[in-house]
Short mmCIF file of all heavy atoms in Angstrom, two decimals:
data_model
loop_
_atom_site.label_atom_id
_atom_site.label_comp_id
_atom_site.label_asym_id
_atom_site.label_seq_id
_atom_site.Cartn_x
_atom_site.Cartn_y
_atom_site.Cartn_z
N MET G 235 6.78 -1.01 -15.21
CA MET G 235 5.57 -0.52 -14.59
C MET G 235 4.41 -1.43 -14.99
O MET G 235 4.27 -1.79 -16.15
CB MET G 235 5.28 0.91 -15.05
CG MET G 235 4.01 1.43 -14.46
SD MET G 235 3.51 3.12 -14.88
CE MET G 235 4.93 3.92 -15.49
N GLN G 236 3.62 -1.79 -14.01
CA GLN G 236 2.50 -2.69 -14.25
C GLN G 236 1.29 -1.91 -14.74
O GLN G 236 0.82 -0.99 -14.08
CB GLN G 236 2.14 -3.44 -12.97
CG GLN G 236 1.02 -4.42 -13.16
CD GLN G 236 0.83 -5.31 -11.95
OE1 GLN G 236 1.65 -5.34 -11.05
NE2 GLN G 236 -0.25 -6.04 -11.94
N LYS G 237 0.78 -2.29 -15.89
CA LYS G 237 -0.40 -1.62 -16.44
C LYS G 237 -1.62 -2.52 -16.39
O LYS G 237 -2.74 -2.03 -16.48
CB LYS G 237 -0.13 -1.15 -17.87
CG LYS G 237 0.92 -0.05 -17.92
CD LYS G 237 1.06 0.52 -19.30
CE LYS G 237 2.08 1.65 -19.26
NZ LYS G 237 2.20 2.31 -20.53
N GLN G 238 -1.41 -3.82 -16.27
CA GLN G 238 -2.53 -4.75 -16.19
C GLN G 238 -2.91 -4.96 -14.73
O GLN G 238 -2.06 -5.02 -13.85
CB GLN G 238 -2.19 -6.11 -16.82
CG GLN G 238 -2.08 -6.09 -18.33
CD GLN G 238 -0.76 -5.52 -18.79
OE1 GLN G 238 0.25 -5.61 -18.10
NE2 GLN G 238 -0.76 -4.91 -19.96
N CYS G 239 -4.20 -5.11 -14.50
CA CYS G 239 -4.71 -5.36 -13.15
C CYS G 239 -4.13 -6.66 -12.61
O CYS G 239 -4.17 -7.69 -13.29
CB CYS G 239 -6.23 -5.45 -13.20
SG CYS G 239 -6.97 -5.93 -11.63
N PRO G 240 -3.56 -6.66 -11.40
CA PRO G 240 -2.98 -7.88 -10.84
C PRO G 240 -4.04 -8.91 -10.44
O PRO G 240 -3.71 -10.06 -10.20
CB PRO G 240 -2.20 -7.39 -9.61
CG PRO G 240 -2.77 -6.07 -9.28
CD PRO G 240 -3.32 -5.49 -10.55
N VAL G 241 -5.31 -8.52 -10.41
CA VAL G 241 -6.38 -9.46 -10.05
C VAL G 241 -6.98 -10.12 -11.29
O VAL G 241 -7.07 -11.33 -11.38
CB VAL G 241 -7.49 -8.75 -9.23
CG1 VAL G 241 -8.69 -9.66 -9.03
CG2 VAL G 241 -6.94 -8.30 -7.89
N CYS G 242 -7.40 -9.29 -12.26
CA CYS G 242 -8.10 -9.88 -13.41
C CYS G 242 -7.36 -9.74 -14.74
O CYS G 242 -7.81 -10.27 -15.75
CB CYS G 242 -9.51 -9.30 -13.52
SG CYS G 242 -9.57 -7.54 -13.86
N GLY G 243 -6.23 -9.01 -14.77
CA GLY G 243 -5.39 -8.94 -15.96
C GLY G 243 -5.83 -7.95 -17.02
O GLY G 243 -5.22 -7.86 -18.07
N VAL G 244 -6.88 -7.18 -16.76
CA VAL G 244 -7.38 -6.21 -17.74
C VAL G 244 -6.47 -4.97 -17.72
O VAL G 244 -5.96 -4.58 -16.68
CB VAL G 244 -8.84 -5.82 -17.39
CG1 VAL G 244 -9.34 -4.67 -18.24
CG2 VAL G 244 -9.76 -7.02 -17.54
N ASP G 245 -6.27 -4.36 -18.89
CA ASP G 245 -5.50 -3.12 -18.96
C ASP G 245 -6.19 -2.05 -18.13
O ASP G 245 -7.41 -1.86 -18.23
CB ASP G 245 -5.36 -2.63 -20.41
CG ASP G 245 -4.34 -3.44 -21.19
OD1 ASP G 245 -3.50 -4.12 -20.56
OD2 ASP G 245 -4.37 -3.38 -22.42
N SER G 246 -5.41 -1.36 -17.32
CA SER G 246 -5.96 -0.34 -16.42
C SER G 246 -5.59 1.05 -16.90
O SER G 246 -4.68 1.22 -17.70
CB SER G 246 -5.43 -0.56 -15.01
OG SER G 246 -4.03 -0.39 -14.99
N GLY G 247 -6.28 2.03 -16.38
CA GLY G 247 -5.99 3.41 -16.71
C GLY G 247 -5.34 4.11 -15.53
O GLY G 247 -5.56 3.74 -14.37
N SER G 248 -4.56 5.12 -15.81
CA SER G 248 -3.91 5.89 -14.76
C SER G 248 -4.97 6.65 -13.98
O SER G 248 -5.85 7.30 -14.55
CB SER G 248 -2.90 6.86 -15.37
OG SER G 248 -2.25 7.58 -14.35
N LEU G 249 -4.90 6.57 -12.65
CA LEU G 249 -5.84 7.27 -11.79
C LEU G 249 -5.24 8.59 -11.31
O LEU G 249 -5.84 9.65 -11.44
CB LEU G 249 -6.23 6.38 -10.61
CG LEU G 249 -7.34 6.86 -9.70
CD1 LEU G 249 -8.63 7.04 -10.48
CD2 LEU G 249 -7.55 5.87 -8.56
N PHE G 250 -4.02 8.51 -10.74
CA PHE G 250 -3.30 9.71 -10.34
C PHE G 250 -1.85 9.37 -10.06
O PHE G 250 -1.49 8.22 -9.88
CB PHE G 250 -3.93 10.41 -9.12
CG PHE G 250 -3.95 9.58 -7.86
CD1 PHE G 250 -2.91 9.62 -6.96
CD2 PHE G 250 -5.04 8.78 -7.57
CE1 PHE G 250 -2.93 8.86 -5.80
CE2 PHE G 250 -5.09 8.02 -6.42
CZ PHE G 250 -4.03 8.06 -5.53
N VAL G 251 -1.01 10.41 -10.05
CA VAL G 251 0.42 10.28 -9.74
C VAL G 251 0.68 11.19 -8.54
O VAL G 251 0.22 12.33 -8.50
CB VAL G 251 1.29 10.69 -10.94
CG1 VAL G 251 2.77 10.64 -10.58
CG2 VAL G 251 1.01 9.79 -12.13
N THR G 252 1.43 10.69 -7.57
CA THR G 252 1.69 11.47 -6.37
C THR G 252 3.03 11.10 -5.76
O THR G 252 3.65 10.13 -6.17
CB THR G 252 0.56 11.26 -5.33
OG1 THR G 252 0.75 12.16 -4.24
CG2 THR G 252 0.54 9.83 -4.82
N GLN G 253 3.44 11.89 -4.79
CA GLN G 253 4.65 11.60 -4.02
C GLN G 253 4.23 11.10 -2.64
O GLN G 253 3.05 11.10 -2.30
CB GLN G 253 5.50 12.85 -3.86
CG GLN G 253 6.07 13.36 -5.14
CD GLN G 253 6.87 14.65 -4.95
OE1 GLN G 253 6.80 15.29 -3.92
NE2 GLN G 253 7.61 15.03 -5.97
N ASP G 254 5.20 10.71 -1.84
CA ASP G 254 4.95 10.28 -0.47
C ASP G 254 4.77 11.51 0.40
O ASP G 254 5.72 12.02 0.99
CB ASP G 254 6.13 9.42 0.02
CG ASP G 254 5.98 9.00 1.46
OD1 ASP G 254 4.89 9.16 2.03
OD2 ASP G 254 6.97 8.50 2.03
N TRP G 255 3.55 12.00 0.49
CA TRP G 255 3.27 13.22 1.25
C TRP G 255 3.19 12.94 2.75
O TRP G 255 3.40 13.84 3.56
CB TRP G 255 1.98 13.88 0.77
CG TRP G 255 2.11 14.38 -0.63
CD1 TRP G 255 1.55 13.83 -1.75
CD2 TRP G 255 2.87 15.49 -1.09
NE1 TRP G 255 1.91 14.53 -2.87
CE2 TRP G 255 2.72 15.57 -2.48
CE3 TRP G 255 3.66 16.44 -0.45
CZ2 TRP G 255 3.32 16.55 -3.25
CZ3 TRP G 255 4.26 17.42 -1.23
CH2 TRP G 255 4.09 17.46 -2.61
N ASN G 256 2.86 11.72 3.16
CA ASN G 256 2.71 11.40 4.58
C ASN G 256 4.05 11.32 5.29
O ASN G 256 4.28 11.98 6.29
CB ASN G 256 1.94 10.10 4.77
CG ASN G 256 0.51 10.23 4.36
OD1 ASN G 256 -0.07 11.29 4.46
ND2 ASN G 256 -0.06 9.15 3.86
N ARG G 257 4.92 10.48 4.80
CA ARG G 257 6.21 10.25 5.46
C ARG G 257 7.32 11.13 4.89
O ARG G 257 8.38 11.24 5.47
CB ARG G 257 6.58 8.78 5.38
CG ARG G 257 5.54 7.90 6.10
CD ARG G 257 5.85 6.43 6.02
NE ARG G 257 7.10 6.07 6.64
CZ ARG G 257 7.29 5.88 7.94
NH1 ARG G 257 6.30 6.04 8.76
NH2 ARG G 257 8.45 5.50 8.39
N LYS G 258 7.10 11.69 3.72
CA LYS G 258 8.08 12.57 3.05
C LYS G 258 9.47 11.93 2.96
O LYS G 258 10.48 12.57 3.17
CB LYS G 258 8.14 13.92 3.75
CG LYS G 258 6.84 14.69 3.70
CD LYS G 258 6.92 15.97 4.50
CE LYS G 258 5.68 16.79 4.48
NZ LYS G 258 4.43 16.19 4.75
N SER G 259 9.47 10.63 2.66
CA SER G 259 10.73 9.91 2.61
C SER G 259 11.44 10.04 1.27
O SER G 259 12.62 9.70 1.17
CB SER G 259 10.48 8.43 2.91
OG SER G 259 9.58 7.89 1.97
N SER G 260 10.74 10.54 0.26
CA SER G 260 11.34 10.59 -1.07
C SER G 260 10.56 11.58 -1.94
O SER G 260 9.38 11.83 -1.69
CB SER G 260 11.28 9.20 -1.69
OG SER G 260 11.53 9.23 -3.06
N ALA G 261 11.20 12.07 -2.97
CA ALA G 261 10.52 12.91 -3.95
C ALA G 261 10.05 12.07 -5.14
O ALA G 261 9.50 12.59 -6.10
CB ALA G 261 11.45 14.02 -4.43
N GLN G 262 10.26 10.76 -5.06
CA GLN G 262 9.87 9.85 -6.13
C GLN G 262 8.36 9.91 -6.33
O GLN G 262 7.59 10.05 -5.39
CB GLN G 262 10.28 8.42 -5.77
CG GLN G 262 9.92 7.39 -6.81
CD GLN G 262 10.39 6.00 -6.42
OE1 GLN G 262 11.15 5.82 -5.50
NE2 GLN G 262 9.91 5.00 -7.15
N GLU G 263 7.93 9.82 -7.60
CA GLU G 263 6.51 9.82 -7.91
C GLU G 263 6.00 8.40 -8.06
O GLU G 263 6.71 7.52 -8.56
CB GLU G 263 6.24 10.62 -9.18
CG GLU G 263 6.49 12.10 -9.00
CD GLU G 263 6.04 12.90 -10.19
OE1 GLU G 263 6.01 12.38 -11.32
OE2 GLU G 263 5.72 14.08 -9.98
N PHE G 264 4.77 8.19 -7.61
CA PHE G 264 4.13 6.88 -7.66
C PHE G 264 2.83 7.01 -8.44
O PHE G 264 2.04 7.92 -8.21
CB PHE G 264 3.85 6.37 -6.25
CG PHE G 264 5.08 6.24 -5.42
CD1 PHE G 264 5.47 7.24 -4.55
CD2 PHE G 264 5.88 5.10 -5.52
CE1 PHE G 264 6.62 7.12 -3.79
CE2 PHE G 264 7.03 4.98 -4.76
CZ PHE G 264 7.40 5.99 -3.90
N GLU G 265 2.62 6.06 -9.35
CA GLU G 265 1.41 6.08 -10.16
C GLU G 265 0.42 5.04 -9.64
O GLU G 265 0.76 3.88 -9.47
CB GLU G 265 1.71 5.78 -11.62
CG GLU G 265 0.45 5.80 -12.47
CD GLU G 265 0.68 5.47 -13.93
OE1 GLU G 265 1.81 5.08 -14.28
OE2 GLU G 265 -0.26 5.59 -14.71
N TYR G 266 -0.79 5.50 -9.40
CA TYR G 266 -1.89 4.61 -9.03
C TYR G 266 -2.78 4.41 -10.24
O TYR G 266 -3.05 5.36 -10.98
CB TYR G 266 -2.70 5.20 -7.87
CG TYR G 266 -1.96 5.12 -6.56
CD1 TYR G 266 -1.00 6.07 -6.22
CD2 TYR G 266 -2.20 4.08 -5.67
CE1 TYR G 266 -0.31 6.00 -5.02
CE2 TYR G 266 -1.51 4.01 -4.47
CZ TYR G 266 -0.57 4.97 -4.15
OH TYR G 266 0.11 4.88 -2.98
N ARG G 267 -3.20 3.18 -10.45
CA ARG G 267 -4.04 2.84 -11.59
C ARG G 267 -5.33 2.21 -11.09
O ARG G 267 -5.37 1.68 -10.00
CB ARG G 267 -3.29 1.91 -12.53
CG ARG G 267 -1.99 2.54 -13.06
CD ARG G 267 -1.26 1.66 -14.03
NE ARG G 267 -1.91 1.57 -15.31
CZ ARG G 267 -1.76 2.43 -16.31
NH1 ARG G 267 -0.98 3.48 -16.15
NH2 ARG G 267 -2.38 2.26 -17.45
N LYS G 268 -6.37 2.28 -11.93
CA LYS G 268 -7.66 1.68 -11.56
C LYS G 268 -8.14 0.78 -12.68
O LYS G 268 -8.17 1.17 -13.85
CB LYS G 268 -8.71 2.76 -11.30
CG LYS G 268 -10.03 2.16 -10.84
CD LYS G 268 -11.02 3.23 -10.42
CE LYS G 268 -12.29 2.56 -9.93
NZ LYS G 268 -13.28 3.53 -9.48
N CYS G 269 -8.52 -0.42 -12.30
CA CYS G 269 -9.01 -1.41 -13.26
C CYS G 269 -10.46 -1.08 -13.62
O CYS G 269 -11.30 -0.95 -12.73
CB CYS G 269 -8.91 -2.80 -12.66
SG CYS G 269 -9.61 -4.08 -13.75
N PRO G 270 -10.76 -0.98 -14.92
CA PRO G 270 -12.14 -0.69 -15.32
C PRO G 270 -13.07 -1.90 -15.15
O PRO G 270 -14.28 -1.75 -15.13
CB PRO G 270 -12.01 -0.30 -16.79
CG PRO G 270 -10.80 -1.03 -17.25
CD PRO G 270 -9.87 -1.08 -16.06
N GLU G 271 -12.49 -3.08 -15.01
CA GLU G 271 -13.29 -4.31 -14.90
C GLU G 271 -13.70 -4.59 -13.46
O GLU G 271 -14.88 -4.70 -13.15
CB GLU G 271 -12.50 -5.49 -15.47
CG GLU G 271 -13.26 -6.80 -15.49
CD GLU G 271 -14.41 -6.79 -16.49
OE1 GLU G 271 -14.37 -6.03 -17.47
OE2 GLU G 271 -15.37 -7.54 -16.27
N CYS G 272 -12.73 -4.70 -12.55
CA CYS G 272 -13.04 -5.09 -11.17
C CYS G 272 -12.97 -3.93 -10.18
O CYS G 272 -13.34 -4.07 -9.02
CB CYS G 272 -12.14 -6.24 -10.71
SG CYS G 272 -10.42 -5.79 -10.46
N GLY G 273 -12.44 -2.77 -10.61
CA GLY G 273 -12.40 -1.60 -9.76
C GLY G 273 -11.19 -1.52 -8.82
O GLY G 273 -11.07 -0.58 -8.04
N LEU G 274 -10.28 -2.49 -8.91
CA LEU G 274 -9.10 -2.48 -8.04
C LEU G 274 -8.24 -1.25 -8.32
O LEU G 274 -7.99 -0.90 -9.47
CB LEU G 274 -8.26 -3.74 -8.26
CG LEU G 274 -6.99 -3.82 -7.41
CD1 LEU G 274 -7.34 -4.10 -5.96
CD2 LEU G 274 -6.06 -4.91 -7.96
N ILE G 275 -7.81 -0.60 -7.27
CA ILE G 275 -6.84 0.50 -7.37
C ILE G 275 -5.51 -0.04 -6.87
O ILE G 275 -5.45 -0.61 -5.77
CB ILE G 275 -7.29 1.71 -6.53
CG1 ILE G 275 -8.60 2.26 -7.10
CG2 ILE G 275 -6.20 2.78 -6.52
CD1 ILE G 275 -9.23 3.35 -6.26
N PHE G 276 -4.47 0.09 -7.67
CA PHE G 276 -3.18 -0.49 -7.31
C PHE G 276 -2.03 0.43 -7.70
O PHE G 276 -2.18 1.30 -8.55
CB PHE G 276 -3.00 -1.88 -7.94
CG PHE G 276 -2.98 -1.89 -9.44
CD1 PHE G 276 -1.78 -1.85 -10.13
CD2 PHE G 276 -4.16 -1.95 -10.17
CE1 PHE G 276 -1.75 -1.86 -11.52
CE2 PHE G 276 -4.15 -1.96 -11.56
CZ PHE G 276 -2.95 -1.92 -12.23
N LEU G 277 -0.91 0.23 -7.03
CA LEU G 277 0.31 0.98 -7.29
C LEU G 277 1.01 0.34 -8.48
O LEU G 277 1.35 -0.84 -8.45
CB LEU G 277 1.19 0.97 -6.05
CG LEU G 277 2.47 1.78 -6.07
CD1 LEU G 277 2.16 3.26 -6.29
CD2 LEU G 277 3.21 1.61 -4.76
N ALA G 278 1.24 1.12 -9.53
CA ALA G 278 1.82 0.59 -10.77
C ALA G 278 3.32 0.38 -10.68
O ALA G 278 3.85 -0.55 -11.27
CB ALA G 278 1.49 1.51 -11.94
N ASN G 279 4.00 1.23 -9.95
CA ASN G 279 5.47 1.16 -9.89
C ASN G 279 5.92 0.93 -8.44
O ASN G 279 6.45 1.81 -7.80
CB ASN G 279 6.09 2.42 -10.47
CG ASN G 279 5.57 3.71 -9.84
OD1 ASN G 279 4.44 3.79 -9.39
ND2 ASN G 279 6.40 4.73 -9.82
N VAL G 280 5.71 -0.29 -7.97
CA VAL G 280 6.12 -0.63 -6.60
C VAL G 280 7.64 -0.64 -6.54
O VAL G 280 8.30 -1.32 -7.32
CB VAL G 280 5.57 -2.02 -6.19
CG1 VAL G 280 6.03 -2.39 -4.80
CG2 VAL G 280 4.06 -2.05 -6.30
N PRO G 281 8.22 0.13 -5.61
CA PRO G 281 9.68 0.18 -5.51
C PRO G 281 10.27 -1.16 -5.06
O PRO G 281 9.64 -1.91 -4.30
CB PRO G 281 9.94 1.24 -4.43
CG PRO G 281 8.66 1.92 -4.19
CD PRO G 281 7.57 1.02 -4.65
N ASN G 282 11.46 -1.45 -5.55
CA ASN G 282 12.16 -2.67 -5.14
C ASN G 282 12.69 -2.56 -3.72
O ASN G 282 12.90 -3.56 -3.05
CB ASN G 282 13.32 -2.98 -6.09
CG ASN G 282 12.84 -3.40 -7.45
OD1 ASN G 282 11.77 -3.99 -7.59
ND2 ASN G 282 13.61 -3.09 -8.48
N ASN G 283 12.91 -1.35 -3.26
CA ASN G 283 13.50 -1.11 -1.94
C ASN G 283 12.45 -0.64 -0.94
O ASN G 283 12.56 0.43 -0.36
CB ASN G 283 14.64 -0.09 -2.05
CG ASN G 283 14.17 1.24 -2.60
OD1 ASN G 283 13.13 1.33 -3.27
ND2 ASN G 283 14.92 2.29 -2.33
N LEU G 284 11.42 -1.43 -0.71
CA LEU G 284 10.33 -1.04 0.19
C LEU G 284 10.82 -0.76 1.61
O LEU G 284 10.22 0.04 2.32
CB LEU G 284 9.25 -2.12 0.22
CG LEU G 284 8.34 -2.16 -0.99
CD1 LEU G 284 7.34 -3.30 -0.86
CD2 LEU G 284 7.62 -0.85 -1.18
N ASP G 285 11.90 -1.40 2.02
CA ASP G 285 12.41 -1.16 3.37
C ASP G 285 12.83 0.30 3.55
O ASP G 285 12.78 0.83 4.66
CB ASP G 285 13.56 -2.10 3.70
CG ASP G 285 14.73 -1.99 2.73
OD1 ASP G 285 14.51 -1.64 1.56
OD2 ASP G 285 15.85 -2.28 3.15
N TYR G 286 13.18 0.98 2.47
CA TYR G 286 13.53 2.40 2.54
C TYR G 286 12.30 3.23 2.95
O TYR G 286 12.40 4.18 3.70
CB TYR G 286 14.06 2.88 1.20
CG TYR G 286 14.32 4.36 1.13
CD1 TYR G 286 15.47 4.91 1.69
CD2 TYR G 286 13.41 5.22 0.53
CE1 TYR G 286 15.70 6.28 1.65
CE2 TYR G 286 13.64 6.59 0.48
CZ TYR G 286 14.78 7.10 1.04
OH TYR G 286 15.01 8.45 1.00
N PHE G 287 11.15 2.86 2.44
CA PHE G 287 9.92 3.59 2.70
C PHE G 287 9.22 3.15 3.98
O PHE G 287 8.47 3.90 4.58
CB PHE G 287 8.96 3.43 1.51
CG PHE G 287 9.51 4.00 0.24
CD1 PHE G 287 10.18 3.20 -0.66
CD2 PHE G 287 9.38 5.34 -0.04
CE1 PHE G 287 10.70 3.72 -1.82
CE2 PHE G 287 9.90 5.88 -1.20
CZ PHE G 287 10.56 5.08 -2.09
N TYR G 288 9.41 1.89 4.36
CA TYR G 288 8.77 1.33 5.55
C TYR G 288 9.84 0.77 6.47
O TYR G 288 10.10 -0.42 6.48
CB TYR G 288 7.78 0.23 5.16
CG TYR G 288 6.69 0.73 4.26
CD1 TYR G 288 6.74 0.54 2.88
CD2 TYR G 288 5.60 1.41 4.78
CE1 TYR G 288 5.74 1.01 2.06
CE2 TYR G 288 4.59 1.89 3.97
CZ TYR G 288 4.66 1.67 2.60
OH TYR G 288 3.67 2.15 1.78
N GLY G 289 10.44 1.64 7.24
CA GLY G 289 11.51 1.24 8.15
C GLY G 289 11.00 0.43 9.33
O GLY G 289 9.81 0.09 9.44
N ASP G 290 11.90 0.12 10.24
CA ASP G 290 11.60 -0.74 11.39
C ASP G 290 10.51 -0.17 12.30
O ASP G 290 9.82 -0.92 12.98
CB ASP G 290 12.86 -0.97 12.22
CG ASP G 290 13.90 -1.78 11.46
OD1 ASP G 290 13.52 -2.50 10.51
OD2 ASP G 290 15.08 -1.69 11.82
N THR G 291 10.35 1.13 12.33
CA THR G 291 9.38 1.73 13.24
C THR G 291 8.02 2.00 12.59
O THR G 291 7.14 2.57 13.22
CB THR G 291 9.92 3.06 13.80
OG1 THR G 291 10.15 3.95 12.70
CG2 THR G 291 11.21 2.85 14.58
N TYR G 292 7.85 1.60 11.33
CA TYR G 292 6.61 1.89 10.63
C TYR G 292 5.41 1.19 11.27
O TYR G 292 4.36 1.77 11.44
CB TYR G 292 6.71 1.50 9.16
CG TYR G 292 5.44 1.80 8.40
CD1 TYR G 292 5.11 3.11 8.06
CD2 TYR G 292 4.57 0.79 8.04
CE1 TYR G 292 3.94 3.39 7.38
CE2 TYR G 292 3.40 1.07 7.36
CZ TYR G 292 3.09 2.37 7.03
OH TYR G 292 1.93 2.65 6.36
N TYR G 293 5.57 -0.06 11.62
CA TYR G 293 4.45 -0.83 12.16
C TYR G 293 4.91 -1.65 13.35
O TYR G 293 5.85 -2.42 13.26
CB TYR G 293 3.88 -1.77 11.10
CG TYR G 293 2.79 -2.67 11.63
CD1 TYR G 293 1.53 -2.16 11.91
CD2 TYR G 293 3.02 -4.01 11.87
CE1 TYR G 293 0.53 -2.97 12.41
CE2 TYR G 293 2.03 -4.83 12.36
CZ TYR G 293 0.79 -4.31 12.63
OH TYR G 293 -0.20 -5.11 13.12
N VAL G 294 4.23 -1.48 14.45
CA VAL G 294 4.50 -2.27 15.64
C VAL G 294 3.21 -3.04 15.95
O VAL G 294 2.19 -2.43 16.27
CB VAL G 294 4.90 -1.39 16.84
CG1 VAL G 294 5.11 -2.23 18.07
CG2 VAL G 294 6.14 -0.58 16.51
N PRO G 295 3.23 -4.36 15.80
CA PRO G 295 2.00 -5.13 16.03
C PRO G 295 1.56 -5.05 17.49
O PRO G 295 2.38 -4.89 18.40
CB PRO G 295 2.39 -6.56 15.66
CG PRO G 295 3.87 -6.60 15.71
CD PRO G 295 4.36 -5.20 15.45
N PRO G 296 0.24 -5.15 17.72
CA PRO G 296 -0.25 -5.12 19.10
C PRO G 296 0.18 -6.35 19.88
O PRO G 296 0.51 -7.40 19.30
CB PRO G 296 -1.76 -5.06 18.94
CG PRO G 296 -2.04 -5.52 17.56
CD PRO G 296 -0.82 -5.27 16.75
N LYS G 297 0.15 -6.24 21.19
CA LYS G 297 0.48 -7.37 22.07
C LYS G 297 -0.55 -8.48 21.88
O LYS G 297 -1.70 -8.24 21.49
CB LYS G 297 0.49 -6.93 23.53
CG LYS G 297 1.45 -5.80 23.82
CD LYS G 297 2.83 -6.33 23.98
CE LYS G 297 3.76 -5.20 24.41
NZ LYS G 297 5.08 -5.37 24.01
N PHE G 298 -0.15 -9.71 22.19
CA PHE G 298 -1.01 -10.88 22.00
C PHE G 298 -2.32 -10.75 22.76
O PHE G 298 -3.38 -11.10 22.25
CB PHE G 298 -0.26 -12.15 22.41
CG PHE G 298 -1.05 -13.40 22.18
CD1 PHE G 298 -1.31 -13.83 20.89
CD2 PHE G 298 -1.56 -14.12 23.24
CE1 PHE G 298 -2.05 -14.97 20.66
CE2 PHE G 298 -2.30 -15.27 23.03
CZ PHE G 298 -2.54 -15.69 21.73
N GLU G 299 -2.28 -10.25 23.98
CA GLU G 299 -3.51 -10.11 24.78
C GLU G 299 -4.51 -9.17 24.11
O GLU G 299 -5.71 -9.42 24.12
CB GLU G 299 -3.18 -9.63 26.19
CG GLU G 299 -2.48 -10.68 27.04
CD GLU G 299 -3.28 -11.98 27.16
OE1 GLU G 299 -4.50 -11.92 27.38
OE2 GLU G 299 -2.66 -13.05 27.01
N LYS G 300 -4.01 -8.11 23.51
CA LYS G 300 -4.90 -7.18 22.81
C LYS G 300 -5.51 -7.86 21.58
O LYS G 300 -6.69 -7.68 21.29
CB LYS G 300 -4.15 -5.91 22.41
CG LYS G 300 -5.05 -4.89 21.77
CD LYS G 300 -4.35 -3.57 21.55
CE LYS G 300 -5.34 -2.57 20.94
NZ LYS G 300 -4.73 -1.29 20.72
N LEU G 301 -4.70 -8.64 20.87
CA LEU G 301 -5.22 -9.37 19.71
C LEU G 301 -6.32 -10.34 20.11
O LEU G 301 -7.32 -10.50 19.40
CB LEU G 301 -4.09 -10.12 19.00
CG LEU G 301 -3.12 -9.28 18.20
CD1 LEU G 301 -1.98 -10.15 17.67
CD2 LEU G 301 -3.82 -8.58 17.07
N LYS G 302 -6.17 -11.00 21.27
CA LYS G 302 -7.19 -11.92 21.74
C LYS G 302 -8.49 -11.19 22.01
O LYS G 302 -9.58 -11.67 21.67
CB LYS G 302 -6.72 -12.66 23.00
CG LYS G 302 -5.74 -13.77 22.70
CD LYS G 302 -5.24 -14.60 23.85
CE LYS G 302 -5.84 -14.48 25.19
NZ LYS G 302 -5.19 -15.30 26.21
N LYS G 303 -8.42 -10.00 22.61
CA LYS G 303 -9.63 -9.20 22.89
C LYS G 303 -10.31 -8.77 21.58
O LYS G 303 -11.53 -8.82 21.45
CB LYS G 303 -9.27 -7.98 23.72
CG LYS G 303 -8.95 -8.30 25.15
CD LYS G 303 -8.61 -7.02 25.92
CE LYS G 303 -8.17 -7.36 27.34
NZ LYS G 303 -7.75 -6.16 28.08
N ILE G 304 -9.50 -8.38 20.62
CA ILE G 304 -10.06 -7.97 19.33
C ILE G 304 -10.75 -9.15 18.65
O ILE G 304 -11.86 -9.03 18.14
CB ILE G 304 -8.95 -7.39 18.42
CG1 ILE G 304 -8.43 -6.07 19.00
CG2 ILE G 304 -9.45 -7.19 16.99
CD1 ILE G 304 -7.17 -5.56 18.33
N ALA G 305 -10.10 -10.30 18.68
CA ALA G 305 -10.67 -11.51 18.06
C ALA G 305 -11.97 -11.91 18.75
O ALA G 305 -12.95 -12.29 18.09
CB ALA G 305 -9.66 -12.64 18.10
N LYS G 306 -12.00 -11.81 20.05
CA LYS G 306 -13.22 -12.18 20.80
C LYS G 306 -14.35 -11.24 20.44
O LYS G 306 -15.49 -11.67 20.24
CB LYS G 306 -12.93 -12.12 22.31
CG LYS G 306 -14.09 -12.61 23.14
CD LYS G 306 -13.73 -12.63 24.62
CE LYS G 306 -14.89 -13.16 25.43
NZ LYS G 306 -14.60 -13.19 26.86
N ALA G 307 -14.07 -9.96 20.31
CA ALA G 307 -15.10 -8.99 19.93
C ALA G 307 -15.63 -9.23 18.53
O ALA G 307 -16.79 -8.97 18.24
CB ALA G 307 -14.56 -7.58 20.08
N GLU G 308 -14.77 -9.74 17.64
CA GLU G 308 -15.17 -10.00 16.26
C GLU G 308 -16.06 -11.23 16.12
O GLU G 308 -16.74 -11.39 15.13
CB GLU G 308 -13.94 -10.13 15.37
CG GLU G 308 -13.19 -8.84 15.15
CD GLU G 308 -14.01 -7.83 14.39
OE1 GLU G 308 -14.70 -8.19 13.42
OE2 GLU G 308 -13.97 -6.65 14.76
N ARG G 309 -16.01 -12.10 17.10
CA ARG G 309 -16.85 -13.31 17.03
C ARG G 309 -18.27 -12.89 17.09
O ARG G 309 -19.22 -13.31 16.71
CB ARG G 309 -16.55 -14.24 18.19
CG ARG G 309 -15.33 -15.04 17.96
CD ARG G 309 -15.24 -16.11 19.01
NE ARG G 309 -13.85 -16.50 19.12
CZ ARG G 309 -13.31 -17.02 20.19
NH1 ARG G 309 -14.04 -17.21 21.27
NH2 ARG G 309 -12.07 -17.36 20.20
#
């Protein structure tokens, strides 16, 4: 489990522990930590099997034409 901030390396404190309430894919608990130096909130125990939690249907990228419209609006 990672206790040091992945950005600045400072020891972090536990913020909260929770389960996957959105997708309900597992009863496994996940610990979120917060760095007192830079304020980063990060997952301390990233699972090795992320594909179990984020299957093929989790994210479908938008079509290229839609991306072009979004990019143009951002200019």
